[in-house]
Amino acid sequence: MATSNGSTAIRDKILASLARYRALRIDKFPCAFWRLSSRPGLTANDHDFPSSATGSVIPHGFYDLKLNTGYITLGTSHDTSEFACDSLSQWWINEGIIHYPKAKSLLILCDGGGSNSSRHYIFKEDLQKTANALGVEIRIVHYPPYTSKYNPIENRFFPHVTRACEGVVFDSIETVKTLIARTSTSTGLTTVVNILDKIYETGRKYATDFKEKMPIVFDEHLPKWNYRAIPQK
């Protein structure tokens, strides 16, 4: 990770971490963290074929480093850039603005691939729309390839989500929500979970004139990984 002005950028902004958790299939399937010894007598199918599932859940996580709080948005459609930005909006509307009512800027650490890819202009376009809607500046700092393991959410939040879901069968999205919501630690980690039942279109393209007119401000240092979406009036 690289920021244009070092620790000053971190001091002056709300620091949070964003990433997608593994997709979960709904039915009588064993999860990836299944342990036979954890629930004696509990049975599950031995394969989780997509065609056999009754649905899927896409958890998108947000981790507040200052408050040690995780926020998970459970999507039921597709993992798209719009969903990633909506997850950020859900956190800000339901949690962020309550704890940081005077905040004017967010510093978001995120991976360089997936629905929030550093290479995709559709993510930048959706990010700009989000900044406009929320009225706050959003600074994005992408981790370079092969370094996402250093993203705080990957080691401070997601491992505890995994432990909270051990030895269970995800038979409904409500079950997933209940289990993930109990994620906590002795050091004070708490978790809030929200279900976002919205259909997302795949294969979207950014506007034809977006690259020429986009208001995204790129840093001089490593601009492909560091940039800001400034609210437009």
mmCIF file of all heavy atoms in Angstrom, residues 59-87:
data_model
loop_
_atom_site.group_PDB
_atom_site.id
_atom_site.type_symbol
_atom_site.label_atom_id
_atom_site.label_comp_id
_atom_site.label_asym_id
_atom_site.label_seq_id
_atom_site.Cartn_x
_atom_site.Cartn_y
_atom_site.Cartn_z
ATOM 1 N N PRO A 59 -21.297 -11.862 0.845
ATOM 2 C CA PRO A 59 -20.996 -10.939 1.941
ATOM 3 C C PRO A 59 -19.900 -9.945 1.536
ATOM 4 O O PRO A 59 -18.821 -10.349 1.100
ATOM 5 C CB PRO A 59 -20.511 -11.857 3.065
ATOM 6 C CG PRO A 59 -20.758 -13.265 2.580
ATOM 7 C CD PRO A 59 -20.727 -13.185 1.089
ATOM 8 N N HIS A 60 -20.179 -8.679 1.657
ATOM 9 C CA HIS A 60 -19.176 -7.644 1.403
ATOM 10 C C HIS A 60 -18.887 -6.947 2.718
ATOM 11 O O HIS A 60 -19.799 -6.439 3.365
ATOM 12 C CB HIS A 60 -19.667 -6.643 0.359
ATOM 13 C CG HIS A 60 -18.560 -6.085 -0.491
ATOM 14 N ND1 HIS A 60 -17.647 -5.183 -0.015
ATOM 15 C CD2 HIS A 60 -18.198 -6.328 -1.784
ATOM 16 C CE1 HIS A 60 -16.787 -4.870 -0.965
ATOM 17 N NE2 HIS A 60 -17.093 -5.558 -2.052
ATOM 18 N N GLY A 61 -17.623 -6.970 3.127
ATOM 19 C CA GLY A 61 -17.271 -6.485 4.452
ATOM 20 C C GLY A 61 -16.647 -5.103 4.481
ATOM 21 O O GLY A 61 -16.000 -4.661 3.526
ATOM 22 N N PHE A 62 -16.858 -4.434 5.611
ATOM 23 C CA PHE A 62 -16.300 -3.116 5.869
ATOM 24 C C PHE A 62 -15.806 -3.124 7.310
ATOM 25 O O PHE A 62 -16.548 -3.490 8.225
ATOM 26 C CB PHE A 62 -17.376 -2.040 5.679
ATOM 27 C CG PHE A 62 -16.841 -0.650 5.566
ATOM 28 C CD1 PHE A 62 -16.527 -0.106 4.336
ATOM 29 C CD2 PHE A 62 -16.663 0.130 6.689
ATOM 30 C CE1 PHE A 62 -16.041 1.188 4.219
ATOM 31 C CE2 PHE A 62 -16.184 1.417 6.595
ATOM 32 C CZ PHE A 62 -15.870 1.954 5.352
ATOM 33 N N TYR A 63 -14.554 -2.747 7.528
ATOM 34 C CA TYR A 63 -13.976 -2.804 8.874
ATOM 35 C C TYR A 63 -13.471 -1.433 9.290
ATOM 36 O O TYR A 63 -12.620 -0.836 8.625
ATOM 37 C CB TYR A 63 -12.838 -3.825 8.915
ATOM 38 C CG TYR A 63 -12.130 -3.894 10.242
ATOM 39 C CD1 TYR A 63 -12.792 -4.340 11.393
ATOM 40 C CD2 TYR A 63 -10.798 -3.505 10.369
ATOM 41 C CE1 TYR A 63 -12.134 -4.388 12.624
ATOM 42 C CE2 TYR A 63 -10.139 -3.553 11.582
ATOM 43 C CZ TYR A 63 -10.812 -3.997 12.713
ATOM 44 O OH TYR A 63 -10.163 -4.043 13.929
ATOM 45 N N ASP A 64 -14.014 -0.918 10.388
ATOM 46 C CA ASP A 64 -13.621 0.369 10.951
ATOM 47 C C ASP A 64 -12.454 0.137 11.900
ATOM 48 O O ASP A 64 -12.622 -0.453 12.968
ATOM 49 C CB ASP A 64 -14.806 0.988 11.693
ATOM 50 C CG ASP A 64 -14.529 2.405 12.169
ATOM 51 O OD1 ASP A 64 -13.378 2.708 12.520
ATOM 52 O OD2 ASP A 64 -15.477 3.215 12.198
ATOM 53 N N LEU A 65 -11.252 0.580 11.522
ATOM 54 C CA LEU A 65 -10.062 0.312 12.323
ATOM 55 C C LEU A 65 -10.083 1.028 13.668
ATOM 56 O O LEU A 65 -9.554 0.527 14.651
ATOM 57 C CB LEU A 65 -8.792 0.706 11.552
ATOM 58 C CG LEU A 65 -8.264 -0.322 10.539
ATOM 59 C CD1 LEU A 65 -9.130 -0.341 9.293
ATOM 60 C CD2 LEU A 65 -6.824 -0.028 10.164
ATOM 61 N N LYS A 66 -10.680 2.207 13.722
ATOM 62 C CA LYS A 66 -10.698 2.968 14.967
ATOM 63 C C LYS A 66 -11.639 2.355 15.994
ATOM 64 O O LYS A 66 -11.284 2.192 17.167
ATOM 65 C CB LYS A 66 -11.106 4.419 14.691
ATOM 66 C CG LYS A 66 -11.161 5.282 15.942
ATOM 67 C CD LYS A 66 -11.569 6.709 15.613
ATOM 68 C CE LYS A 66 -11.635 7.563 16.874
ATOM 69 N NZ LYS A 66 -12.047 8.969 16.561
ATOM 70 N N LEU A 67 -12.841 1.988 15.560
ATOM 71 C CA LEU A 67 -13.847 1.457 16.481
ATOM 72 C C LEU A 67 -13.773 -0.056 16.643
ATOM 73 O O LEU A 67 -14.483 -0.621 17.466
ATOM 74 C CB LEU A 67 -15.248 1.845 15.998
ATOM 75 C CG LEU A 67 -15.558 3.342 15.916
ATOM 76 C CD1 LEU A 67 -16.982 3.565 15.428
ATOM 77 C CD2 LEU A 67 -15.348 4.005 17.276
ATOM 78 N N ASN A 68 -12.926 -0.723 15.833
ATOM 79 C CA ASN A 68 -12.823 -2.180 15.859
ATOM 80 C C ASN A 68 -14.201 -2.811 15.636
ATOM 81 O O ASN A 68 -14.645 -3.681 16.374
ATOM 82 C CB ASN A 68 -12.229 -2.661 17.191
ATOM 83 C CG ASN A 68 -11.847 -4.133 17.152
ATOM 84 O OD1 ASN A 68 -11.574 -4.687 16.084
ATOM 85 N ND2 ASN A 68 -11.834 -4.766 18.312
ATOM 86 N N THR A 69 -14.871 -2.321 14.590
ATOM 87 C CA THR A 69 -16.223 -2.780 14.278
ATOM 88 C C THR A 69 -16.291 -3.259 12.829
ATOM 89 O O THR A 69 -15.785 -2.591 11.923
ATOM 90 C CB THR A 69 -17.246 -1.645 14.472
ATOM 91 O OG1 THR A 69 -17.205 -1.205 15.827
ATOM 92 C CG2 THR A 69 -18.655 -2.119 14.141
ATOM 93 N N GLY A 70 -16.930 -4.405 12.626
ATOM 94 C CA GLY A 70 -17.113 -4.929 11.283
ATOM 95 C C GLY A 70 -18.541 -4.724 10.827
ATOM 96 O O GLY A 70 -19.478 -4.791 11.636
ATOM 97 N N TYR A 71 -18.711 -4.449 9.560
ATOM 98 C CA TYR A 71 -20.034 -4.275 8.983
ATOM 99 C C TYR A 71 -20.107 -5.140 7.736
ATOM 100 O O TYR A 71 -19.290 -4.994 6.819
ATOM 101 C CB TYR A 71 -20.286 -2.806 8.642
ATOM 102 C CG TYR A 71 -21.713 -2.507 8.228
ATOM 103 C CD1 TYR A 71 -22.648 -2.108 9.182
ATOM 104 C CD2 TYR A 71 -22.126 -2.635 6.913
ATOM 105 C CE1 TYR A 71 -23.965 -1.837 8.812
ATOM 106 C CE2 TYR A 71 -23.432 -2.372 6.532
ATOM 107 C CZ TYR A 71 -24.353 -1.970 7.490
ATOM 108 O OH TYR A 71 -25.655 -1.707 7.130
ATOM 109 N N ILE A 72 -21.077 -6.047 7.693
ATOM 110 C CA ILE A 72 -21.227 -6.952 6.562
ATOM 111 C C ILE A 72 -22.557 -6.680 5.848
ATOM 112 O O ILE A 72 -23.610 -6.635 6.484
ATOM 113 C CB ILE A 72 -21.211 -8.422 7.010
ATOM 114 C CG1 ILE A 72 -19.831 -8.815 7.535
ATOM 115 C CG2 ILE A 72 -21.631 -9.335 5.865
ATOM 116 C CD1 ILE A 72 -18.830 -9.173 6.473
ATOM 117 N N THR A 73 -22.483 -6.473 4.546
ATOM 118 C CA THR A 73 -23.683 -6.368 3.724
ATOM 119 C C THR A 73 -23.849 -7.672 2.960
ATOM 120 O O THR A 73 -22.936 -8.098 2.247
ATOM 121 C CB THR A 73 -23.575 -5.206 2.717
ATOM 122 O OG1 THR A 73 -23.430 -3.977 3.440
ATOM 123 C CG2 THR A 73 -24.824 -5.124 1.850
ATOM 124 N N LEU A 74 -24.992 -8.320 3.137
ATOM 125 C CA LEU A 74 -25.265 -9.587 2.473
ATOM 126 C C LEU A 74 -26.063 -9.325 1.201
ATOM 127 O O LEU A 74 -27.229 -8.930 1.255
ATOM 128 C CB LEU A 74 -26.054 -10.521 3.399
ATOM 129 C CG LEU A 74 -25.385 -10.890 4.729
ATOM 130 C CD1 LEU A 74 -26.313 -11.780 5.552
ATOM 131 C CD2 LEU A 74 -24.052 -11.589 4.488
ATOM 132 N N GLY A 75 -25.426 -9.555 0.065
ATOM 133 C CA GLY A 75 -26.104 -9.396 -1.211
ATOM 134 C C GLY A 75 -26.675 -10.715 -1.688
ATOM 135 O O GLY A 75 -26.155 -11.786 -1.354
ATOM 136 N N THR A 76 -27.739 -10.668 -2.448
ATOM 137 C CA THR A 76 -28.379 -11.883 -2.950
ATOM 138 C C THR A 76 -28.352 -11.958 -4.468
ATOM 139 O O THR A 76 -28.981 -12.831 -5.056
ATOM 140 C CB THR A 76 -29.845 -11.939 -2.478
ATOM 141 O OG1 THR A 76 -30.540 -10.762 -2.938
ATOM 142 C CG2 THR A 76 -29.933 -11.992 -0.964
ATOM 143 N N SER A 77 -27.602 -11.068 -5.101
ATOM 144 C CA SER A 77 -27.583 -11.013 -6.565
ATOM 145 C C SER A 77 -26.193 -11.350 -7.094
ATOM 146 O O SER A 77 -25.800 -12.505 -7.123
ATOM 147 C CB SER A 77 -28.039 -9.634 -7.041
ATOM 148 O OG SER A 77 -28.032 -9.545 -8.447
ATOM 149 N N HIS A 78 -25.433 -10.327 -7.513
ATOM 150 C CA HIS A 78 -24.106 -10.528 -8.088
ATOM 151 C C HIS A 78 -23.101 -9.588 -7.429
ATOM 152 O O HIS A 78 -23.460 -8.525 -6.926
ATOM 153 C CB HIS A 78 -24.126 -10.275 -9.601
ATOM 154 C CG HIS A 78 -25.072 -11.153 -10.358
ATOM 155 N ND1 HIS A 78 -24.796 -12.474 -10.630
ATOM 156 C CD2 HIS A 78 -26.293 -10.902 -10.894
ATOM 157 C CE1 HIS A 78 -25.799 -13.006 -11.307
ATOM 158 N NE2 HIS A 78 -26.725 -12.071 -11.482
ATOM 159 N N ASP A 79 -21.843 -10.010 -7.459
ATOM 160 C CA ASP A 79 -20.772 -9.179 -6.919
ATOM 161 C C ASP A 79 -20.295 -8.216 -8.000
ATOM 162 O O ASP A 79 -19.487 -8.572 -8.850
ATOM 163 C CB ASP A 79 -19.616 -10.061 -6.428
ATOM 164 C CG ASP A 79 -18.504 -9.237 -5.799
ATOM 165 O OD1 ASP A 79 -18.802 -8.149 -5.271
ATOM 166 O OD2 ASP A 79 -17.334 -9.688 -5.843
ATOM 167 N N THR A 80 -20.818 -7.007 -7.983
ATOM 168 C CA THR A 80 -20.484 -5.998 -8.983
ATOM 169 C C THR A 80 -19.912 -4.761 -8.312
ATOM 170 O O THR A 80 -19.952 -4.622 -7.080
ATOM 171 C CB THR A 80 -21.736 -5.595 -9.777
ATOM 172 O OG1 THR A 80 -22.651 -4.925 -8.888
ATOM 173 C CG2 THR A 80 -22.426 -6.819 -10.385
ATOM 174 N N SER A 81 -19.370 -3.856 -9.116
ATOM 175 C CA SER A 81 -18.837 -2.613 -8.565
ATOM 176 C C SER A 81 -19.938 -1.793 -7.903
ATOM 177 O O SER A 81 -19.715 -1.115 -6.891
ATOM 178 C CB SER A 81 -18.164 -1.794 -9.670
ATOM 179 O OG SER A 81 -19.097 -1.446 -10.682
ATOM 180 N N GLU A 82 -21.131 -1.858 -8.456
ATOM 181 C CA GLU A 82 -22.269 -1.143 -7.871
ATOM 182 C C GLU A 82 -22.598 -1.701 -6.495
ATOM 183 O O GLU A 82 -22.901 -0.947 -5.561
ATOM 184 C CB GLU A 82 -23.483 -1.264 -8.795
ATOM 185 C CG GLU A 82 -24.683 -0.444 -8.356
ATOM 186 C CD GLU A 82 -25.877 -0.586 -9.263
ATOM 187 O OE1 GLU A 82 -25.830 -1.443 -10.185
ATOM 188 O OE2 GLU A 82 -26.868 0.136 -9.055
ATOM 189 N N PHE A 83 -22.527 -3.034 -6.360
ATOM 190 C CA PHE A 83 -22.771 -3.658 -5.058
ATOM 191 C C PHE A 83 -21.701 -3.258 -4.050
ATOM 192 O O PHE A 83 -21.999 -2.971 -2.892
ATOM 193 C CB PHE A 83 -22.818 -5.176 -5.211
ATOM 194 C CG PHE A 83 -22.904 -5.924 -3.906
ATOM 195 C CD1 PHE A 83 -23.906 -5.653 -2.993
ATOM 196 C CD2 PHE A 83 -21.978 -6.902 -3.589
ATOM 197 C CE1 PHE A 83 -23.991 -6.342 -1.781
ATOM 198 C CE2 PHE A 83 -22.045 -7.595 -2.383
ATOM 199 C CZ PHE A 83 -23.056 -7.308 -1.483
ATOM 200 N N ALA A 84 -20.435 -3.220 -4.485
ATOM 201 C CA ALA A 84 -19.348 -2.809 -3.595
ATOM 202 C C ALA A 84 -19.568 -1.389 -3.078
ATOM 203 O O ALA A 84 -19.399 -1.106 -1.888
ATOM 204 C CB ALA A 84 -18.011 -2.911 -4.316
ATOM 205 N N CYS A 85 -19.979 -0.496 -3.982
ATOM 206 C CA CYS A 85 -20.222 0.898 -3.586
ATOM 207 C C CYS A 85 -21.479 1.024 -2.730
ATOM 208 O O CYS A 85 -21.526 1.837 -1.799
ATOM 209 C CB CYS A 85 -20.318 1.778 -4.825
ATOM 210 S SG CYS A 85 -18.751 1.975 -5.706
ATOM 211 N N ASP A 86 -22.502 0.219 -3.028
ATOM 212 C CA ASP A 86 -23.709 0.230 -2.198
ATOM 213 C C ASP A 86 -23.393 -0.267 -0.783
ATOM 214 O O ASP A 86 -23.985 0.203 0.193
ATOM 215 C CB ASP A 86 -24.791 -0.644 -2.818
ATOM 216 C CG ASP A 86 -25.512 0.049 -3.964
ATOM 217 O OD1 ASP A 86 -25.287 1.262 -4.154
ATOM 218 O OD2 ASP A 86 -26.304 -0.614 -4.665
ATOM 219 N N SER A 87 -22.469 -1.218 -0.673
ATOM 220 C CA SER A 87 -22.062 -1.720 0.644
ATOM 221 C C SER A 87 -21.410 -0.603 1.454
ATOM 222 O O SER A 87 -21.655 -0.465 2.656
ATOM 223 C CB SER A 87 -21.088 -2.898 0.490
ATOM 224 O OG SER A 87 -21.693 -3.972 -0.187
#
